[in-house]
Amino acid sequence: MSVRYYRRVVAVGGGVLVFFSLLLSPSVSYAMHISEGFLPVQWAVFWWLVTIPFLVAGYRALQKITKDQPEVKLLLALAAAFGFLLSALKIPSVTGSCSHPTGIGLGTILFGPSVMSIIGFLILVFQALLLAHGGLTTLGANAFAMAIAGPWTTYVIYKILKRTGKEKVAIFAAVAGGNLLTYLITSIQLAIAFPASGGGIMVSLAKFAGIFALTQIPLSISEGLLTVLVWNWINAYAAEDLEKLKPLSQNR
Amino acid sequence: MSKTNQGNNGLENWLLVGAVVCLALFPLVFVKGEFEGADSQAEEAVTAISPSYQPWVENLFKPASGEIESLLFAVQAGMGAGVIGYIIGYYKGKKS
């Protein structure tokens, strides 16, 4: 991986930022999870029902990994800690507001999307209970966005791009893509629950996506870069355990 | 890869960190926003679209103030960073 490649990434990233900062009025917007009570009852129940089977599958996947290969628990803790750290970092964005990355991508690359559903869910529970960030009724919807749709997107992009042989590019793009999709799903969830009286769901979607997804673009780039950083460390110091994980994540 | 060009990786890692810092600083310098991220903003968007909507539950626990909230976020980040440092350090020590 050449330095030139990173120069290009930084240049393109800068260009994108300039573009959006010119495009957007500096209005304040809130861009994280859906707040407690801000989904109507039927939608809160609906997203809980969608999420539960994934959590059951995730719990089984987690049990299988820790039973078959207890020695990779340390890397699992690393993936969970990365999620905790990144989802606590509120970073300023080009829309003049703050949001935080999800930190789920690293674990998805290492352990597959199912396992990360559980870890993402636990992070959301922690934030809903202790930080009043998100909520228990909206936990189903938030978990679907951050702990299911996000990691599965990361997984699919990674699988496709990995074939090019450029592992780090694949990781960066997969993690950034999964992060963006998380907040796109959040926008869609709000838009379906609150269609605009004139124009319906699409008008609402444009409004919520403007709040949630645009703020998230530079953050998704940051998360992709930070994931590659930790990936480099793991490769440099824990290559042995990483090798043990490979057959696991390939079947998942 | 890692063993042969550790030096290269070092440079690459610094570039990665630098890029992230730049991405975070850029909006602070060039965008005149309030950077609040206040909960009320998404809630305002919902009320704008559907003025009759009333949130039907409240959070069980709310941090007493913005300061307490940022304390809790700092604790969360600190725990994460501590564990990451411990694990990377463990692997690094084991390898050398």
Side-chain angles (χ1 to χ4, degrees):
Chain A
M1 196 63 51
S2 65
V3 175
R4 222 178 58 203
Y5 160 71
Y6 283 98
R7 282 208 192 116
R8 223 179 300 153
V9 168
V10 171
V12 170
V16 170
L17 290 183
V18 172
F19 172 74
F20 279 109
S21 60
L22 292 176
L23 186 77
L24 297 164
S25 62
S27 60
V28 187
S29 59
Y30 176 75
M32 283 162 231
H33 312 304
I34 304 174
S35 307
E36 181 75 294
F38 268 85
L39 272 185
V41 184
Q42 68 272 25
W43 284 110
V45 173
F46 172 80
W47 289 113
W48 263 110
L49 291 179
V50 173
T51 298
I52 285 170
F54 285 97
L55 292 179
V56 174
Y59 181 71
R60 290 204 182 129
L62 189 64
Q63 257 191 334
K64 190 172 183 303
I65 280 191
T66 49
K67 203 177 145 199
D68 292 354
Q69 305 208 267
E71 64 272 27
V72 300
K73 271 183 194 161
L74 211 51
L75 282 181
L76 190 64
L78 181 71
F82 189 72
F84 257 78
L85 172 59
L86 258 65
S87 59
L89 293 182
K90 294 189 193 171
I91 302 173
S93 179
V94 286
T95 49
S97 67
C98 292
S99 183
H100 61 76
T102 67
I104 301 294
L106 177 71
T108 307
I109 304 290
L110 294 174
F111 293 94
S114 259
V115 169
M116 288 317 281
S117 295
I118 297 294
I119 288 174
F121 183 75
L122 290 178
I123 293 171
L124 286 169
V125 169
F126 180 89
Q127 294 195 327
L129 286 180
L130 291 177
L131 305 179
H133 187 56
L136 291 180
T137 58
T138 52
L139 187 58
N142 287 332
F144 181 79
M146 189 181 112
I148 295 165
W152 278 99
T153 306
T154 298
Y155 178 74
V156 170
I157 298 176
Y158 178 63
K159 283 281 151 179
I160 293 170
L161 288 186
K162 213 188 157 194
R163 292 197 199 124
T164 62
K166 293 185 173 130
E167 179 113 59
K168 288 179 194 175
V169 179
I171 291 175
F172 170 78
V175 170
N179 180 313
L180 268 186
L181 192 99
T182 294
Y183 288 87
L184 197 60
I185 295 284
T186 304
S187 309
I188 293 171
Q189 288 169 330
L190 280 170
I192 303 173
F194 298 101
S197 48
I201 292 177
M202 290 317 287
V203 172
S204 284
L205 180 60
K207 190 175 174 66
F208 286 116
I211 294 176
F212 282 92
L214 282 179
T215 307
Q216 207 60 28
I217 288 175
L219 297 195
S220 65
I221 296 171
S222 291
E223 177 167 358
L225 297 174
L226 286 173
T227 305
V228 174
L229 172 72
V230 176
W231 174 261
N232 281 344
W233 285 341
I234 296 174
N235 250 309
Y237 305 125
E240 255 177 57
D241 279 6
L242 195 62
E243 281 303 314
K244 287 178 198 157
L245 271 183
K246 273 185 182 153
L248 282 175
S249 51
Q250 263 154 21
N251 300 326
R252 197 155 279 116
Chain B
M1 173 201 77
S2 55
K3 282 165 206 155
T4 46
N5 53 4
Q6 192 64 50
N8 250 343
N9 239 345
L11 174 64
E12 187 186 308
N13 288 350
W14 282 112
L15 283 174
L16 287 169
V17 172
V20 171
V21 171
C22 289
L23 275 170
L25 287 182
F26 180 89
L28 286 177
V29 177
F30 292 101
V31 181
K32 288 203 167 50
E34 294 179 23
F35 298 106
E36 274 184 332
D39 297 44
S40 55
Q41 299 302 322
E43 294 157 14
E44 271 169 25
V46 168
T47 13
I49 288 175
S50 147
S52 60
Y53 185 76
Q54 291 289 332
W56 51 287
V57 252
E58 287 278 303
N59 285 95
L60 295 174
F61 165 82
K62 267 199 170 144
S65 71
E67 308 302 314
I68 307 294
E69 192 187 331
S70 64
L71 167 72
L72 289 169
F73 270 102
V75 169
Q76 187 189 335
M79 287 193 308
V83 171
I84 292 173
Y86 172 82
I87 292 172
I88 298 292
Y90 171 83
Y91 276 124
K92 192 174 181 179
K94 202 168 106 176
K95 207 187 160 189
S96 59

